[in-house]
Amino acid sequence: MALFNIFIFPGILFLVVAGLWFEFVDRRMYARMQHRQGPPWFQPLADFIKLIAKETIIPENANRRLFVSMPVVALTATISAFFYIPLWSTHALYSFQGDSIVVMYLLTLPTLTFFLAGWYSTSLYSTIGAVRSLTQFFAYEIPLFMAVLAPAMLANDWSLAGIATYFTAHPLLALLNVPALGVALVTLLGKLERVPFDIPEAETEVVAGAFTEYTGRHLALFRLAIDIEVIVAGSLLVAMFLPFGLALPAWLGFLVYLLKITFVVAVIAILRSIMARLRIEQMVNFCWKILAPVALAQLLLNLVVKGFLHS
Amino acid sequence: MSKITIPLGPQHPALKEPASFKITLNGEEIYSMDMRLGYNHRGIEKACEERTYIQGLYLIERICGICSHSHSTAYIQALEELAGLQVPKRGLYIRTLIAELERIHSHLLWLGVAAHEVGFDTLLMYAWRDRELVMDHLAEIGGNRVNYAVNTLGGVRRDLTPAEIAHILKDVDTLEERTKYYAQVATEESTLIARLSKIGYLSKTDAELLGAVGPTARACSVDRDIRRDDPYAAYGDVQFKVCVDDHCDVYGRVLVRVGELMESYSIIRQLLKNLPDGPIAVKAPRRIPAGEAISRYEAPRGEDCHYVKANGTDKPERVKIRAPTLANWRAVRKMIEGNYLADAPIIIAAIDPCFSCTDRAIELVRPAGAATLTWGALRQHGIDWYRKQGLDFADLNKKLATQLGRVK
Amino acid sequence: MLGEVLAHLCAKPNTIKYPFEPAVVEAGLRGKIKFVAEKCIGCKICVKDCPADAITITKIGDKRFECVFDLDKCIYCAQCVDSCPKKALSVTNEFELAQLDKHKLRFVFHAPDAPPTPPAPAAQPEPPVAKTA
């Protein structure tokens, strides 16, 4: 049963299918908002198969082992994070006190792999993309951490399942975290490197950033890892900030869960269709001057409320 | 971080045509830029000398894929001056109409490209969607979306029907509505403004010293427009305002172009309202008397100059073209210094560069050990090289031929 | 901008699925050239004026002319239509002219009472093509 859970449902296979599906949803919505047709539903899968079949080229100067292993590390990290997140019930597949921190750390790994992948490709565009990835990482990571941990603080529990249980018992308290949800959604754009924070892979400036030298199946794995990261990070936000419908029967809960993920994907698609790409220094300023104070205020608010509740 | 030099081009996603920019970076800041042009040299000036005037006209039109009418009109004005041809009023009006439609299509295209350079793809899609309205009219009147080939020696080739006039007027109203919306987007969308303002600064003095032309110069408060200063075609008969802006940055260039779009709509309405009756062309001789002429034209990108020297035969003796982009290159170098790398593509794009228009000369850099090959030898070298890699195209061709059932 | 994109989300896309839906082209589009052999007098002004050397007119009998078009050379400027004094050439708005096989791009208009020959796709013996300097 554990193996079934890990490999089939709600494990790797489910994640791959959901990742590709929501990539389609994202691309289709983006296209429709731009008054275009958009791709057919199987396009992400077709792209993936095509990339797998393509020739793989590894730059001569690149560190071969790192170059090849980075996509796998990114994929593994995102998938492992998924097992600790409660999806459509208050239970996660695996759970322990402090797993919320572990999930956050597992989710920072892909960004680090982007950096290492870009840096060890040794091409100029990759290097610049890698450095930008890391610069951006330092800007959005702190607000993201503060925002995501605010509900944990309120629930006084460091396991994701525990937080979900707490908010299912006190659903109104979840509304308190709305500013943090906003901060988390915006920083998520930075984590996923989407417009307006797609600075590390801005195609008109640095071609494809860290991925410039990647081809064939390695690129396919990276893209799959990013698709899955959307689902995992979306699930994390949903579990933290929208813990509604977790007590429903499993099938209904599953539908509600899919709706919630669609909501996150839709917000990302809308935000990237109405904004221009920022410059790296504008992005850092925005994260530190606006997002960080908001997240900090949320933490203070939650501390005060928690004081009242427990006194 | 020490200084690094990164190449932008000859092949780069930000560039629609090949040109090589070597950008030296100090961190993310641009320290200096070096550029090399000439990748698109096609020898058009020389080729014109070997073609008759009529044939050359279609070649001249292919200098640029966007402002094809600009080059063809500039060329034909020089020829008509030499031949002493008086183009009928109606012909001139149609010529001007096409010129303004072309300006609209060029500026909308630029707006889309500029939006794409700063990662705002939605605006790109909207601008290009609306541009299709103009493209459809150009195809209907001229006969092609890009190379309209409306000009002929002594006038224009196609006339306008009342139905077409009504249709154009209707679409101009739609476009005006849309352009107002884009003007609103340009003044309200905060991320867009953040990316466009205060970058690529060029002072008025520098613009004049470096000889910038067109919207690039007008965005630096240089009040210069050939349409008003030296009227040609029907521009003497219409009222319009020259759009000037004092932002001196990329944002100012956006405002100037959006303003020019609005002026173009008004010019088109005036032209169609006062369209005179009569013939659209006069009969032109095949030979043009000896002499030389220079013609200026305000293309969407700036002043376009054509020089023609005729020797009494049906072929020109010399044709010289100065495309607007060439005049703007030196200004780009000035504009780009001190900006961030992220802004390099939009600063280059802000002059609306057209590399293939510009490339009039190439410089041969011959490294040691280089050899000159004839076309045949180069072809043979290619075949041998692939054969060494285990690929024989002769075989492939035979296979393909067998499959297509035509074995020779 | 937000209102605009949300409105478009529900609107019908502005683009069409081209190869599956027919593309509408303007009536005035300059596409493939049509040749009416009966009207041709063999003056060859079209051949002289063509900027791309895409037309060849051959005399195949008394007052009978055959015209060969190289669709891959043609730049679709329709100057030949303007040049023709007898209106033997006309322009159509047929634009889907791409071919996988290069030989199909050579389009032959036969003279009216010429013996029947297979349709254009069949390989024609290559007529001598005028070379430019």
Side-chain angles (χ1 to χ4, degrees):
Chain A
M1 194 60 197
L3 278 181
F4 176 81
N5 281 340
I6 289 174
F7 285 103
I8 313 284
F9 189 84
I12 298 172
L13 187 70
F14 167 73
L15 266 180
V16 169
V17 172
L20 294 177
W21 170 256
F22 281 106
E23 187 196 333
F24 157 72
V25 172
D26 177 57
R27 282 169 69 175
R28 184 60 165 244
M29 281 187 72
Y30 188 52
R32 281 297 160 93
M33 284 188 276
Q34 296 179 342
H35 222 176
R36 295 186 283 125
Q37 295 272 359
W41 65 268
F42 54 81
Q43 194 62 50
L45 182 65
D47 286 351
F48 183 72
I49 293 171
K50 190 185 104 176
L51 275 179
I52 292 267
K54 288 273 176 192
E55 183 190 358
T56 317
I57 301 164
I58 298 175
E60 251 173 44
N61 295 334
N63 184 326
R64 208 185 158 84
R65 214 176 310 153
L66 264 170
F67 191 87
V68 173
S69 60
M70 278 309 128
V72 184
V73 174
L75 196 60
T76 322
T78 38
I79 293 179
S80 336
F82 193 62
F83 297 130
Y84 299 102
I85 302 173
L87 304 173
W88 48 86
S89 65
T90 50
H91 297 289
L93 212 49
Y94 298 98
S95 174
F96 59 89
Q97 274 302 320
D99 61 6
S100 54
I101 310 287
V102 171
V103 166
M104 289 303 296
Y105 271 103
L106 283 173
L107 280 179
T108 61
L109 274 183
T111 316
L112 285 177
T113 62
F114 298 165
F115 168 73
L116 289 174
W119 190 260
Y120 284 104
S121 300
T122 63
S123 119
L124 275 171
Y125 296 124
S126 305
T127 313
I128 292 178
V131 172
R132 283 180 174 192
S133 259
L134 213 56
T135 317
Q136 180 164 314
F137 173 73
F138 288 125
Y140 69 72
E141 202 63 15
I142 306 290
L144 181 62
F145 257 72
M146 290 200 290
V148 170
L149 293 185
M153 197 99 86
L154 193 60
N156 204 14
D157 197 316
W158 295 98
S159 81
L160 287 164
I163 297 166
T165 318
Y166 179 81
F167 280 110
T168 311
H170 311 84
L172 282 180
L173 279 180
L175 294 179
L176 209 62
N177 295 319
V178 169
L181 173 64
V183 172
L185 275 173
V186 174
T187 46
L188 190 62
L189 290 174
K191 191 173 225 11
L192 299 171
E193 303 188 349
R194 298 286 164 95
V195 175
F197 301 145
D198 66 334
I199 307 157
E201 45 188 276
E203 66 155 5
T204 49
E205 296 153 28
V206 288
V207 189
F211 309 126
T212 308
E213 299 299 328
Y214 273 85
T215 46
R217 57 178 187 277
H218 303 305
L219 181 61
L221 283 184
F222 253 138
R223 290 187 45 161
L224 187 65
I226 294 172
D227 282 350
I228 290 180
E229 202 186 349
V230 174
I231 306 292
V232 177
S235 303
L236 177 68
L237 293 200
V238 161
M240 280 285 193
F241 296 104
L242 306 169
F244 309 116
L246 296 182
L248 293 171
W251 66 272
L252 201 60
F254 182 64
L255 281 184
V256 171
Y257 165 72
L258 286 186
L259 269 180
K260 287 191 249 180
I261 296 289
T262 314
F263 165 75
V264 173
V265 171
V267 169
I268 294 173
I270 291 173
L271 283 178
R272 83 183 171 117
S273 73
I274 60 169
M275 282 188 211
R277 182 191 311 124
L278 291 175
R279 259 200 311 268
I280 188 88
E281 105 280 2
Q282 289 167 339
M283 191 269 176
V284 173
N285 275 346
F286 174 73
C287 283
W288 283 106
K289 286 190 182 157
I290 296 173
L291 292 183
V294 172
L296 206 56
Q298 173 81 60
L299 275 183
L300 285 178
L301 177 74
N302 284 12
L303 274 179
V304 173
V305 173
K306 190 174 138 191
F308 270 111
L309 287 176
H310 293 269
S311 59
Chain B
M1 211 170 173
S2 59
K3 286 197 186 85
I4 52 166
T5 304
I6 79 155
L8 198 75
Q11 307 294 334
H12 190 277
L15 305 172
K16 311 299 173 239
E17 292 171 82
S20 168
F21 302 92
K22 278 208 170 64
I23 297 179
T24 308
L25 288 179
N26 200 351
E28 278 263 337
E29 202 180 300
I30 296 170
Y31 177 72
S32 67
M33 184 187 80
D34 193 23
M35 60 182 138
R36 269 192 62 195
L37 306 168
Y39 293 89
N40 265 342
H41 176 68
R42 293 165 293 169
I44 284 192
E45 286 173 6
K46 187 71 188 163
C48 279
E49 294 168 20
E50 284 163 14
R51 281 166 172 74
T52 63
Y53 288 109
I54 285 287
Q55 289 175 332
L57 186 57
Y58 297 107
L59 183 65
I60 290 279
E61 199 169 44
R62 279 157 179 78
I63 288 178
C64 181
I66 308 296
C67 40
S68 56
H69 186 74
S70 308
H71 285 287
S72 111
T73 309
Y75 180 66
I76 213 125
Q77 280 176 176
L79 296 187
E80 281 159 2
E81 192 183 319
L82 285 173
L85 291 172
Q86 202 67 44
V87 181
K89 262 265 149 85
R90 192 176 171 91
L92 286 179
Y93 268 66
I94 294 176
R95 225 178 238 183
T96 317
L97 172 76
I98 299 285
E100 288 308 313
L101 285 175
E102 181 180 80
R103 195 179 311 278
I104 296 170
H105 119 66
S106 174
H107 281 357
L108 282 176
L109 177 112
W110 178 84
L111 186 68
V113 170
H116 176 67
E117 301 288 4
V118 295
F120 198 0
D121 281 357
T122 309
L123 186 56
L124 158 78
M125 295 295 168
Y126 288 177
W128 283 28
R129 175 197 64 195
D130 297 334
R131 172 174 164 263
E132 283 303 306
L133 289 176
V134 187
M135 301 299 278
D136 287 348
H137 283 302
L138 287 169
E140 183 63 50
I141 306 168
N144 200 321
R145 286 163 55 87
V146 176
N147 297 306
Y148 336 113
V150 165
N151 285 324
T152 190
L153 217 48
V156 292
R157 294 170 62 194
R158 290 202 186 186
D159 205 354
L160 285 173
T161 62
E164 273 168 14
I165 294 177
H167 196 187
I168 295 174
L169 284 173
K170 193 177 127 253
D171 280 351
V172 163
D173 288 344
T174 321
L175 280 169
E176 190 165 18
E177 202 70 14
R178 298 296 305 176
T179 310
K180 276 184 191 149
Y181 174 68
Y182 297 138
Q184 188 198 337
V185 168
T187 44
E188 283 175 10
E189 235 11 86
S190 53
T191 50
L192 190 66
I193 298 171
R195 276 308 301 275
L196 296 180
S197 54
K198 298 193 179 59
I199 59 161
Y201 185 84
L202 184 72
S203 67
K204 185 180 179 184
T205 332
D206 281 337
E208 280 172 342
L209 275 178
L210 297 170
V213 294
T216 313
R218 286 196 283 276
C220 305
S221 0
V222 179
D223 191 3
R224 200 179 287 160
D225 191 324
I226 306 298
R227 292 180 291 170
R228 179 199 60 197
D229 302 340
D230 183 12
Y232 55 89
Y235 283 112
D237 301 354
V238 289
Q239 299 292 318
F240 65 98
K241 175 173 117 248
V242 174
C243 298
V244 181
D245 193 87
D246 54 5
H247 275 82
C248 302
D249 56 8
V250 174
Y251 185 59
R253 282 157 221 154
V254 177
L255 294 184
V256 164
R257 287 193 174 96
V258 171
E260 283 187 7
L261 279 173
M262 300 305 280
E263 287 306 310
S264 286
Y265 302 139
S266 131
I267 294 175
I268 287 176
R269 286 203 191 99
Q270 294 174 44
L271 286 172
L272 290 178
K273 199 173 137 224
N274 305 324
L275 190 67
D277 289 326
I280 52 167
V282 289
K283 189 138 176 51
R286 281 184 178 269
R287 289 168 198 281
I288 286 183
E292 45 189 347
I294 191 159
S295 153
R296 299 157 83 197
Y297 180 101
E298 185 72 27
R301 292 163 171 76
E303 182 186 342
D304 184 17
C305 290
H306 280 233
Y307 163 83
V308 182
K309 186 175 183 190
N311 56 6
T313 62
D314 60 351
K315 290 172 184 164
E317 185 166 306
R318 176 83 173 99
V319 177
K320 169 76 194 144
I321 301 149
R322 204 292 317 268
T325 307
L326 188 70
N328 280 331
W329 275 133
R330 292 192 301 163
V332 172
R333 213 170 146 172
K334 181 85 192 168
M335 285 189 249
I336 210 164
E337 277 166 20
N339 285 282
Y340 290 100
L341 169 68
D343 294 327
I346 181 69
I347 294 174
I348 293 172
I351 66 158
D352 201 358
C354 182
F355 303 138
S356 55
C357 298
T358 307
D359 288 346
R360 290 276 88 79
I362 46 170
E363 181 192 357
L364 285 176
V365 183
R366 220 172 265 179
T372 312
L373 293 178
T374 61
W375 177 246
L378 184 66
R379 186 169 175 272
Q380 194 54 45
H381 175 78
I383 294 171
D384 291 344
W385 190 85
Y386 275 107
R387 213 168 262 162
K388 255 186 236 158
Q389 316 280 317
L391 255 178
D392 199 334
F393 284 105
D395 279 0
L396 287 180
N397 276 340
K398 237 177 259 164
K399 255 185 220 161
L400 189 70
T402 333
Q403 275 174 3
L404 293 172
R406 38 166 75 253
V407 193
K408 281 191 185 145
Chain C
M1 204 73 198
L2 183 63
E4 190 81 6
V5 295
L6 289 181
H8 280 114
L9 188 58
C10 314
K12 192 175 163 291
N14 196 45
T15 48
I16 57 165
K17 295 182 173 172
Y18 165 55
F20 310 110
E21 285 172 41
V24 184
V25 293
E26 293 70 27
L29 189 85
R30 295 187 307 261
K32 195 168 150 185
I33 305 292
K34 217 168 90 190
F35 175 74
V36 182
E38 289 92 333
K39 290 187 186 167
C40 184
I41 52 167
C43 67
K44 294 197 185 176
I45 294 180
C46 53
V47 180
K48 209 157 101 197
D49 274 353
C50 179
D53 290 326
I55 317 176
T56 323
I57 301 259
T58 342
K59 190 169 182 178
I60 52 163
D62 186 33
K63 285 189 182 166
R64 280 173 59 220
F65 300 93
E66 195 175 82
C67 172
V68 181
F69 257 96
D70 290 309
L71 295 184
D72 50 347
K73 282 187 189 168
C74 184
I75 59 170
Y76 304 98
C77 64
Q79 175 62 39
C80 49
V81 178
D82 287 7
S83 297
C84 184
K86 291 289 168 193
K87 306 254 178 297
L89 290 157
S90 58
V91 62
T92 68
N93 68 352
E94 195 185 330
F95 71 102
E96 287 164 316
L97 302 170
Q99 292 287 356
L100 281 174
D101 182 1
K102 198 171 134 187
H103 298 276
K104 289 184 188 165
L105 288 170
R106 176 169 281 260
F107 203 87
V108 185
F109 292 98
H110 292 287
D113 46 348
T117 41
Q124 295 290 331
E126 306 235 330
V129 177
K131 286 252 159 59
T132 43

